[in-house]
Amino acid sequence: MNSSSSSPSSFLDLGSAIGQKEVKRILVLFLGVAACLLLYKTAYPLSQELDVDNLSSSRPLLDHTSSSSPQTRSKSISFREVLENASTDNRTVIVTTLNQAWAEPNSLFDLFLESFRIGQGTQKLLQHVVVVCLDSKAFDRCSQLHPNCYYLETTGTDFSGEKLFATPDYLKMMWRRIELLTQVLEMGYNFIFTDADIMWLRDPFPRLYPDGDFQMACDRFFGDPNDSDNWVNGGFTYVKSNHRSIEFYKFWYKSRLDYPEMHDQDVFNQIKHDALVSEIGIQMRFFDTVYFGGFCQTSRDINLVCTMHANCCIGLEKKLHDLNLVLDDWRNYLSLSEPVKNTTWSVPMKCT
């Protein structure tokens, strides 16, 4: 009998046989793929597929809630990793420097951290503070108190002791700082640099100018934030990372060779009107001492002050005495039921 005369039942039997063969083939293929996947996962576990340490600087921020305790942190941690761990969402960090003299118990570092804890809106900022330690003992103490500590080794110089203003070691320390901050900018981070003898009483970010590449505090402010003839103080600066700020910092650091006996602040005053600075096009702004005060010109309104700096003061013991008074004044202010109209700072007392 030819195929044209086949019965419907024989046709269905033939289709069923073909269907069973296809099902068997698909089943064998599926089992083969599953076996391959199982072998791959065994050879390459998921936890090894992402090498966090080798990701580029554009990777997501490291987890701030890492279980690693400060005491276990190593001096070998890279500066980039410390910056990434501390960075805000818009790649901004708060940087300070620390040596053994300022890191001792009940010294300036303790007061610095305490100011963040009792300031208004400043507690949240502590996680963004990077402490650059200039000697081994400063790093050890920092690591006991704070998660973002970096050990900056400098061969041939001991930065551990108190460095009095304008001494040779002081100058080296200041220029090492400028060099490091240049690297921060080159890695794409904006920063606030703050000396550790500055008390953070309020969140200063709302007081930063939106249109300035480089913004600096003043020993004395004469009313115009655009006037570079204000008496500047490099202890508190805000700098945006861009080609203008990077070129300016490189020029600033290079200019130390032209003024070998000057520190960074005095060299800044020498170069701020230089033609090359105009060519770079960096936009400079200078902070009002109403918001960013100090012992040179104390903030006139405690209802507005953000930071208080132990400037115009030489000597660790004098700084400690008067900054303790600043925190006492601040605690008394916080305890008041109503705002006060006039600042009644107890300082400067020994820093005169």
Side-chain angles (χ1 to χ4, degrees), residues 297-333:
Q297 189 176 41
T298 55
S299 174
R300 298 182 296 279
D301 192 343
I302 200 169
N303 299 294
L304 298 175
V305 64
C306 295
T307 62
M308 183 66 82
H309 188 186
N311 53 5
C312 293
C313 185
I314 299 176
L316 178 57
E317 292 303 318
K318 292 180 180 180
K319 288 177 181 286
L320 283 171
H321 180 272
D322 281 10
L323 286 177
N324 269 298
L325 292 180
V326 168
L327 293 187
D328 286 344
D329 288 346
W330 180 250
R331 291 187 188 95
N332 291 335
Y333 167 77

Side-chain angles (χ1 to χ4, degrees), residues 86-279:
S87 175
T88 65
D89 291 340
N90 72 343
R91 296 180 67 80
T92 299
V93 291
I94 301 166
V95 181
T96 192
T97 53
L98 186 67
N99 68 352
Q100 179 186 347
W102 285 27
E104 294 287 348
N106 301 314
S107 193
L108 287 175
F109 187 50
D110 285 2
L111 295 183
F112 178 74
L113 295 178
E114 177 67 7
S115 73
F116 277 88
R117 297 186 187 106
I118 67 174
Q120 292 183 340
T122 52
Q123 299 92 338
K124 64 186 178 183
L125 300 178
L126 258 180
Q127 65 180 314
H128 304 302
V129 174
V130 172
V131 182
V132 177
C133 302
L134 302 174
D135 60 81
S136 179
K137 290 186 177 180
F139 178 83
D140 291 341
R141 180 88 205 295
C142 179
S143 297
Q144 295 171 8
L145 303 176
H146 187 68
N148 303 317
C149 305
Y150 174 69
Y151 178 46
L152 178 67
E153 263 190 295
T154 303
T155 57
T157 303
D158 179 11
F159 287 139
S160 60
E162 181 182 1
K163 304 304 176 188
L164 294 179
F165 182 77
T167 59
D169 278 354
Y170 175 87
L171 297 180
K172 291 178 184 177
M173 193 162 61
M174 293 301 100
W175 287 115
R176 189 72 177 97
R177 183 176 82 184
I178 295 296
E179 183 182 31
L180 185 79
L181 293 175
T182 306
Q183 295 172 9
V184 175
L185 296 173
E186 289 178 321
M187 285 190 278
Y189 291 95
N190 316 309
F191 66 76
I192 286 181
F193 176 81
T194 172
D195 279 339
D197 62 345
I198 292 179
M199 302 295 98
W200 284 54
L201 306 176
R202 283 191 179 88
D203 180 357
F205 280 92
R207 298 296 182 183
L208 304 179
Y209 298 107
D211 58 347
D213 301 315
F214 174 92
Q215 304 177 31
M216 181 181 275
C218 299
D219 285 338
R220 294 195 178 275
F221 179 76
F222 300 121
D224 183 359
N226 300 299
D227 183 5
S228 59
D229 288 328
N230 287 299
W231 293 2
V232 300
N233 187 295
F236 190 96
T237 54
Y238 169 64
V239 187
K240 296 177 183 177
S241 175
N242 54 44
H243 71 277
R244 294 182 298 274
S245 62
I246 292 171
E247 287 306 308
F248 172 70
Y249 263 78
K250 287 180 176 179
F251 175 58
W252 191 2
Y253 183 70
K254 182 180 178 182
S255 296
R256 80 194 189 284
L257 302 176
D258 298 324
Y259 306 95
E261 296 184 1
M262 290 186 182
H263 61 82
D264 57 320
Q265 187 172 301
D266 283 345
V267 172
F268 173 84
N269 284 324
Q270 293 293 326
I271 68 172
K272 62 188 178 184
H273 297 305
D274 193 281
L276 182 57
V277 175
S278 298
E279 290 177 18

